[in-house]
Amino acid sequence: MAIFEPTATPHHWKPAALAAGPFAGLQGGAVASLLTGEVEAMAGARNWGSAISASAWFLRPTPMAELRTRVAVVTEGGRVSVVDNTLWPAGEEQPCATVRVTLSRERPVDVPGFCRPAADRVDPTVFPLRSPHAVHGRSWFMDAMEARAGGDVAWFRMHHSVITDAGPLARVLSPADWTHGIARPVQNAVADPNPNLAVQLFKPPRGEWIGVRAEARWRPEAGLGVGSGVLLDVDGEIGRVSMSVILVPFPRNAPASGAGSAAG
């Protein structure tokens, strides 16, 4: 079962309960993955190459409702293509989120003197499970994946595709959105939504597991922070992730959450 299913109308989507975030609306990582996955699904037919980066902006909470998207090509041809995808609730004019995806046609290059860093293969299944719950007590995006913690790396394995035919970058965005929540300096103190998310890949992940070696910095006097991290698969590094963070008090009468990002 995909987390977003297409409706009979082209570029319209129905989210499953698993797309929900810990507070209001859908999880930012789910929304970014939907928008990026739709671009990846088009890439083969348009000869855009592989999606190597995505920058997402979460403009307002995305409701649990029918959604529509619109793909716009910024540039295509040559080595690099850039494609935007924006999301609205069906029937509304104010967008909820947008993503810009960079794609590149891969070409081998001979680099004299280059040595690939050695890495030991990891088995995330040996690490303890983590099962954070949303404050609303219902199904949410974390329930769509298996999460484990080992050393300084949090590992995630998706149990559901975001959309049919989504590519590697969409699959990485889903766990990458948790980066700040993994490393926040103080737990259960304030809500910390990320209004943006940026991921760059230099290689597609091998296997189902995505790891995040995360760090975070806060400036409470301004209500701001950042999260960033190294992205891994079981064989080693595959890319980077970064995001801005806005610190706000928890919604009144809402208990503190040990969950990751509340964005989107």
Side-chain angles (χ1 to χ4, degrees):
M1 179 189 73
I3 295 172
F4 294 90
E5 292 286 353
T7 72
T9 305
H11 303 290
H12 281 234
W13 304 88
K14 181 179 179 181
L18 290 173
F23 296 110
L26 306 188
Q27 178 70 24
V31 171
S33 296
L34 163 64
L35 293 171
T36 301
E38 188 175 18
V39 173
E40 287 183 296
M42 299 171 61
R46 300 292 292 267
N47 196 26
W48 288 335
S50 303
I52 59 172
S53 73
S55 296
W57 292 266
F58 308 116
L59 309 175
R60 63 183 178 113
T62 301
M64 183 67 71
E66 183 178 339
L67 307 169
R68 63 181 175 94
T69 58
R70 185 176 66 200
V71 175
V73 176
V74 179
T75 184
E76 64 180 331
R79 185 75 184 271
V80 173
S81 296
V82 179
V83 181
D84 291 347
N85 198 6
T86 303
L87 176 146
W88 296 260
E92 294 188 20
E93 296 302 318
Q94 183 181 0
C96 291
T98 189
V99 68
R100 173 161 289 186
V101 181
T102 302
L103 306 101
S104 179
R105 300 172 187 166
E106 298 183 14
R107 299 175 186 169
V109 176
D110 183 29
V111 183
F114 175 77
C115 295
R116 190 179 306 279
D120 295 326
R121 188 175 177 85
V122 178
D123 179 9
T125 62
V126 304
F127 301 129
L129 282 166
R130 297 177 67 251
S131 301
H133 301 288
V135 297
H136 50 60
R138 301 184 297 274
S139 295
W140 70 313
F141 197 45
M142 183 59 77
D143 296 331
M145 61 187 77
E146 178 181 346
R148 294 179 179 268
D152 62 348
V153 178
W155 291 95
F156 302 88
R157 176 165 60 179
M158 295 293 295
H159 291 315
H160 302 269
S161 60
V162 176
I163 65 169
T164 302
D165 297 328
L169 183 54
R171 185 160 62 86
V172 171
L173 279 163
S174 297
D177 188 50
W178 301 115
T179 296
H180 175 265
I182 297 166
R184 60 165 68 95
V186 180
Q187 299 290 335
N188 302 328
V190 293
D192 46 6
N194 52 292
N196 52 48
L197 172 67
V199 167
Q200 299 84 31
L201 293 183
F202 65 89
K203 60 175 289 191
R206 178 181 175 185
E208 298 178 311
W209 288 98
I210 305 297
V212 183
R213 183 181 293 120
E215 63 177 25
R217 299 290 185 269
W218 281 8
R219 189 158 70 95
E221 63 270 24
L224 301 174
V226 295
S228 62
V230 175
L231 298 169
L232 308 101
D233 65 9
V234 295
D235 291 326
E237 294 185 17
I238 60 172
R240 297 291 189 275
V241 54
S242 63
M243 58 189 62
S244 302
V245 177
I246 307 299
L247 307 179
V248 295
F250 281 118
R252 183 169 295 182
N253 300 323
S257 169
S261 162

